[in-house]
Amino acid sequence: MQKILVSRCLLGDRVRYDGGAHGPYDLLQQWLHEGRVIALCPEVAGGLPTPRPPAEIAGGQGAQVLDGRLPVLTVEGNDVTAAFLDGAERALALVQAHGIRLALLKARSPSCGNLENYDGSFSGVRVAGEGVTAALLRRAGVKVFNEQQLDEAQHALQVLEREMGTPGAV
Ligand code: SF4
């Protein structure tokens, strides 16, 4: 069975920077029931507390953080790059340990966002970009979806299970 890496905050775990959570989402509950969810909050796994100050990447490009070209800064200007990189590495380790090819991560997070991110001005401005963990997983060949792409994620799972010849795939 294909396992899927899922952002913990999408499973109702109160690990968001502000102590909040998201969901429930029917599809994620189904995946949990099927035993295919590997849950992770990269920021908490990287050692950050909850709640914690919001953090953003200037220009919103997590790949540049991976390449050492940009830091992740909190709204107070503290450099939390090391924790973000550590969380991303932990996500990659889980992906490798479980043979994961798909991830369902929270949109617009400086760790988890897959298509958009905030621009580093802490003013709510969105740019095309991705979080640090999402960027590392994408580089490793993992298809990353967000909670607004549940249908696409389920379709990708079905295609993958068909390709792998997993019994029970639709
Ligand atoms: S978006 Fe990612 S890093 Fe942020 S709380 Fe959710 S799981 Fe943790």
Side-chain angles (χ1 to χ4, degrees):
M1 174 191 293
Q2 284 297 313
K3 305 274 186 179
I4 303 172
L5 189 76
V6 179
S7 292
R8 278 183 59 193
C9 62
L10 295 179
L11 299 166
D13 289 351
R14 302 179 70 83
V15 290
R16 267 179 55 110
Y17 74 95
D18 59 1
H22 304 275
Y25 297 93
D26 289 346
L27 180 61
L28 301 190
Q29 295 304 310
Q30 177 189 321
W31 287 352
L32 275 170
H33 183 69
E34 292 168 352
R36 63 170 84 248
V37 169
I38 303 295
L40 180 77
C41 172
E43 292 173 24
V44 170
L48 294 174
T50 305
R52 53 192 174 275
E56 295 189 4
I57 304 161
Q61 309 301 320
Q64 294 194 352
V65 178
L66 292 177
D67 294 340
R69 292 161 59 196
L70 279 176
V72 185
L73 298 176
T74 70
V75 66
E76 294 130 351
N78 292 322
D79 188 332
V80 287
T81 307
F84 274 66
L85 290 174
D86 188 44
E89 290 293 341
R90 287 168 191 265
L92 183 62
L94 283 174
V95 158
Q96 291 169 340
H98 294 279
I100 289 173
R101 310 271 298 276
L102 300 174
L104 198 298
L105 304 183
K106 175 74 186 75
R108 293 187 294 278
S109 149
S111 289
C112 295
N114 66 331
L115 297 174
E116 278 187 318
N117 224 331
Y118 294 106
D119 72 346
S121 65
F122 295 93
S123 56
V125 177
R126 299 177 186 178
V127 291
E130 61 191 341
V132 179
T133 292
L136 186 60
L137 296 188
R138 179 177 55 76
R139 283 185 178 177
V142 177
K143 286 186 178 160
V144 182
F145 299 90
N146 66 47
E147 74 279 13
Q148 290 151 359
Q149 299 174 300
L150 293 172
D151 289 346
E152 288 129 287
Q154 175 70 351
H155 179 69
L157 174 63
Q158 290 169 346
V159 169
L160 190 57
E161 294 215 311
R162 245 193 329 258
E163 285 172 5
M164 310 286 285
T166 308
V170 180

